[in-house]
Every structure is written in structure tokens, then in C-alpha cells.
Amino acid sequence: MPTQKLYAGAKLRETRSRLGLTQKAFAAKLGVSLPYLNQMENNHRPVSAAVVLALAGEFGLDVTELSAGDAERLVSDMREALADPIFADTAPPLADLRLAASNAPMLARAFLGLHRAYRQSHERLASLDEALGRDETATRASPWEEVRDFFHYCDNYIDAVDRAAERFADTAEARRAPEARARTLLAERGIEVVLSDSAEIRLVTDGRLTLSTRAAPETRRFQLLFQLALATQNELLEATLDLARFQSDAARSIAKIGLANYFAGAALLPYRAFLEAAEETRHDLERLADRFGASIEQVAHRLSTLQRPGQKGIPFFFVRVDQAGTITKRHSATRLQFARFGGACPLWNVHRAFETPGRFLRQLAETPDGVRYLCLARDVSKHGGSFHAPVRRYAIGLGCEISHAKGLVYADDLDLTNARAFEPIGISCRICERKDCHQRSVPPLERKLRVDPDRRGLLPYDIE
């Protein structure tokens, strides 16, 4: 199979801009001519192996950063936006979307922002929202979506916050007794930690942090570290928020909670120690949860964030869905990207996890682009801690491309070479091009339909 050529013009321009170099100076350091660099930066030529080596040797660049992860996300998001019926007769071909994502990523993001504004205005009109056309926030992304996109395009890895959490976890006191160390640091700032049989998982009032005994120990531990982030890392969190330039105070507030959550997860599962343990246990989630005193969901989510330049783990995707199939958390460091709207593909094993509580389900799957994955799924329902408390039911999915599967204990005894063992899955029906899917809900984008009233197969139409 021929090696895929690497086009990374936008990344080259970004690197040169960050270094403050002119094209001439950058070309000289890379050992190429000015016209050649110009062609690479404009994606008229692929990045050569010699340039990749020069970037690593001259600037210490992690060459995996040149991969098309951001471009793949943008293409997936644009395809989903273009599945909107408003584009029914004007949707551009996939090749054009890839060119836009690679050559003009800011323009692609602007398009996504414009479609998001249209979608929200349309929904407001449908619900007779009187604020339509008079409320300036109608043209903005919802705060929740804005924050979700921030983490999405940061590859779900926030270096400064991750390293700060690791520095805390790496102190002698924290290695010996992390909860005691966190309590001490909070006490130094006038915050007493107490336990109570309370319905509130975490509550701060009058200098007292109350944690509920109804919550699982790993949840209390996480909430303790969350509060530690707010108390000891406020300056770092605010600086990170300043760089993000959120459009509203609500988005900024939500993002601050997200960053504090990120610190808590990274302190509970510190980067280098966790990466080493993951490799040692071959990513056995139960052993990792037991070793670090964390939940299965916390471990799975952390595995998807191990994207530190120069020290990356296996690229995973991570998703959490509710019983209705709605995606409540999503991230992918792989080529698999999730739908921004709606639920996950019904053929994916994550939906079956609710039927087998407490068990891991394994699935070999293949997406329409021919990429194959090892997928894990498990329910992570959250009990309320009392008879009358509601149970929040979720399932998580975790997976990697099949080339990394042998690094996972879950690949044992699976025939990774048997093409028939891989189940066909998709992303979203509107952007899935499979013609014979028995679970299809709507026709795919960029495909003509043929309707024959005298014939009925799996679907009431044929896809050409």
C-alpha cells in the first residue's frame, strides 16, 4: 500500500509564525529553497522527509503534530453541517472540503460558526422565541458548544494545566498521601474539608468544603482535587481562559469548571506515571482504576488525553452516551470523529453496553473510509447513594485504530487479520455513505436516491 503524502501547509505557517521567522530564514534553516517552502506552505507540494527531519532536529518539533488531526475534525464537522437540507443542491465534494480544511482552516471554522448561528436562529424561530433578530446572542454559539469546541480543537490536552497537576502529584507528600496533601493545601487557604451524608456531591460555604459520603470514594477524591485547582491554580486557569477568548462570560465560567476538572483528572492520574502504568498493564482499565483509585470512566477519559508533544500515548477516541444515544462527552485523537449533533451510530457496541452492566464489550469495527478500530464499551451508571435517588445511566466507548490494538489487553484472542470480523459502523447517517445499512435513518449526503414504488428492500429507496 503506498505511503500517504503529508500535506501540512497550515502547520508549517503556524510553526514559522510562532518562531518569528521570515519565509527566507525558515527555508534556510530547513535546507530548502524559498519557492519550495512557499509551495509546501500552500499545500502545492507535500512535506518531504528531509523537511520533517529538519523540523525535528532544528526546532525539536514533535513531527506527529504535522498529522492531519485538526483537518480531519474540520472535514467531519463541515460534512455534518453540509448535511443540513439548506445545502441540498450546493454541497461541495469531499475533495474540496479537505482542501479547505488543510489550506484555510480559519475560513472553515468561520463557516462552521456561521452555520451554527443559522441553526440556532432557525431553532429559535421554530420555537417562536421572541428574542429572534433582537438578541445579539442569537448569532453566537451556545456557551456549552463553544467550550466543547475549545477542548475539541486543543486535542483535549491542555499542557500548562496538565503539567501543573503533575507537579502537585509528584511532590513527596502527594505521592505518599495525595488526599491529605490536598486537605493541607486547602487548609492553608482557609478551607476546611468535611464529610456529610448530603445529596450535594460537593458544596462550599463559609470556608468549608463538604463532600458527600453518598458519592463513591473516587468521586470524592476527584471533587477534592477540583476544589484544589480553584484554590491554588486560579491564576493559571484565568491566563488559559484569557488566551481562549471566549465570546461570553457564561462560556468562560463553564470553561473554568472544565479546566478545574482537567486539573483534577490530571492530578489523580499524573501524566508520566499514568502513561507508564498504561503501557505496563497494556491499558487494562480495571487494573489502572485500582492502582490509581479512580473510576473506569476517569481512566478511559484520561487515556484519550495522553497527547503531550514528545511523549504521546496511543491515540484513543472516547465517548459517553446516555440511554437515548445522545453523546454527552466526546473526544477523538484518532481519525474517527463524532457527530456534533444527534447520537452515535446505532451499530456501534456502546449502545449494547446497557444490556450487560459491569462487563466490557469488544468490537472490531470499520468506518466507511476503510479505517479499522478496536472498540470497547461498558456501562458506567451512577447511583445516587440512596433508595429514592435517581440512577444516571451512561455508557462509555473507548477505542483505537487497529494498528495500535496489540498494545491493549482487550485485543487478546481476537483475529485482527480477518476482514469479515470487522463490523461496519458510521459517524452520522447524513454523512455515512454506506448503501446497505439496515439501521439507516435518513439518506446520505452527496448521493442520489432512486425510489421504486414496486420494490421495497431494507430501505424505501435505493442509494446510487
Side-chain angles (χ1 to χ4, degrees):
M1 184 175 180
T3 303
Q4 185 177 4
K5 294 180 179 180
L6 175 62
Y7 290 90
K11 194 67 179 180
L12 283 177
R13 292 194 301 271
E14 177 189 319
T15 301
R16 178 169 60 80
S17 177
R18 187 174 69 245
L19 295 169
L21 296 175
T22 64
Q23 272 196 328
K24 183 176 180 180
F26 196 43
K29 288 183 176 293
L30 294 178
V32 298
S33 67
L34 181 56
Y36 191 89
L37 173 63
N38 186 271
Q39 289 178 318
M40 286 192 295
E41 287 195 353
N42 287 285
N43 281 338
H44 298 318
R45 281 179 178 267
V47 178
S48 67
V51 169
V52 170
L53 292 175
L55 286 167
E58 186 73 27
F59 303 110
L61 181 71
D62 182 355
V63 295
T64 60
E65 293 183 33
L66 294 175
S67 65
D70 281 354
E72 292 290 343
R73 291 187 184 93
L74 284 171
V75 168
S76 177
D77 290 349
M78 285 192 290
R79 290 191 72 197
E80 189 173 3
L82 288 163
D84 192 308
I86 194 175
F87 298 114
D89 300 321
T90 58
L94 182 58
D96 286 1
L97 299 183
R98 286 175 173 155
L99 282 173
S102 298
N103 292 346
M106 294 303 293
L107 179 62
R109 289 193 177 99
F111 163 74
L112 291 171
L114 182 63
H115 177 261
R116 185 190 302 118
Y118 158 77
R119 183 184 175 92
Q120 289 182 334
S121 296
H122 185 73
E123 289 172 352
R124 283 171 179 250
L125 178 63
S127 63
L128 301 180
D129 191 324
E130 65 179 5
L132 178 65
R134 290 178 292 183
D135 184 355
E136 65 177 6
T137 61
T139 60
R140 296 177 179 175
S142 73
W144 187 262
E145 287 178 337
E146 193 180 357
V147 173
R148 182 184 64 181
D149 286 350
F150 165 71
F151 283 98
H152 183 58
Y153 285 108
C154 284
D155 224 9
N156 209 27
Y157 175 76
I158 313 296
D159 188 71
V161 179
D162 206 300
R163 291 181 186 275
E166 188 174 35
R167 284 193 294 272
F168 158 77
D170 205 32
T171 60
E173 298 90 340
R175 286 198 303 271
R176 185 168 55 251
E179 290 183 67
R181 180 57 179 163
R183 286 170 178 264
T184 298
L185 291 174
L186 288 173
E188 291 173 357
R189 288 158 178 79
I191 301 175
E192 178 189 9
V193 181
V194 298
L195 300 179
S196 174
D197 180 23
S198 169
E200 298 277 359
I201 296 175
R202 175 180 52 84
L203 180 65
V204 179
T205 53
D206 301 324
R208 173 175 290 184
L209 167 61
T210 302
L211 300 175
S212 175
T213 54
R214 300 184 191 180
E218 58 268 21
T219 299
R220 291 200 300 270
R221 196 172 297 117
F222 185 92
Q223 294 299 328
L224 177 64
L225 294 170
F226 172 92
Q227 200 65 44
L228 180 70
L230 295 180
T232 66
Q233 303 296 325
N234 187 64
E235 186 175 342
L236 172 61
L237 301 185
E238 290 292 338
T240 305
L241 294 169
D242 288 342
L243 291 173
R245 298 181 180 179
F246 289 106
Q247 297 183 40
S248 67
D249 291 339
R252 186 182 177 103
S253 297
I254 293 170
K256 188 168 186 178
I257 293 174
L259 291 173
N261 279 330
Y262 187 101
F263 179 94
L268 183 64
L269 306 164
Y271 197 99
R272 286 173 296 176
F274 182 71
L275 177 60
E276 290 174 4
E279 292 172 346
E280 175 196 333
T281 62
R282 297 182 61 222
H283 302 83
D284 188 319
L285 273 68
E286 290 168 299
R287 291 180 62 191
L288 290 169
D290 182 63
R291 181 176 301 189
F292 289 91
S295 69
I296 293 292
E297 181 180 348
Q298 289 167 348
V299 168
H301 186 274
R302 183 56 166 156
L303 284 173
S304 75
T305 70
L306 299 181
Q307 296 299 300
R308 180 177 292 179
Q311 198 178 10
K312 293 187 177 184
I314 287 178
F316 282 101
F317 65 74
F318 169 81
V319 67
R320 189 181 73 180
V321 302
D322 63 17
Q323 281 187 297
T326 304
I327 296 175
T328 61
K329 287 183 181 180
R330 65 176 174 90
H331 172 64
S332 179
T334 73
R335 283 176 281 182
L336 176 68
Q337 302 301 325
F338 302 112
R340 296 167 62 83
F341 311 109
C345 173
L347 300 178
W348 199 13
N349 68 342
V350 69
H351 302 290
R352 298 197 293 269
F354 293 106
E355 303 169 8
T356 55
R359 291 178 52 199
F360 279 101
L361 300 182
R362 303 183 294 176
Q363 179 183 35
L364 296 177
E366 181 176 336
T367 47
D369 57 4
V371 182
R372 293 174 176 175
Y373 299 88
L374 170 61
C375 307
L376 305 176
R378 176 168 166 155
D379 83 298
V380 289
S381 297
K382 303 174 187 292
H383 297 274
S386 68
F387 179 74
H388 294 289
V391 177
R392 293 174 295 156
R393 301 192 182 280
Y394 299 104
I396 59 169
L398 182 75
C400 65
E401 294 186 17
I402 208 68
S403 59
H404 300 288
K406 290 185 178 179
L408 278 65
V409 67
Y410 305 99
D412 291 352
D413 306 321
L414 295 179
D415 186 358
L416 306 182
T417 62
N418 181 8
R420 295 174 63 86
F422 289 82
E423 297 181 56
I425 65 169
I427 306 301
S428 168
C429 284
R430 285 197 180 277
I431 59 175
C432 178
E433 299 178 357
R434 297 192 188 281
K435 295 182 178 182
D436 55 353
C437 177
H438 61 283
Q439 287 291 143
R440 178 173 290 284
S441 59
V442 294
L445 179 70
E446 299 176 354
R447 291 283 186 175
K448 293 182 179 180
L449 303 182
R450 184 175 62 255
V451 179
D452 183 351
D454 297 323
R455 179 180 178 274
R456 170 61 196 256
L458 288 174
L459 300 171
Y461 50 79
D462 291 324
I463 301 170
E464 295 184 358

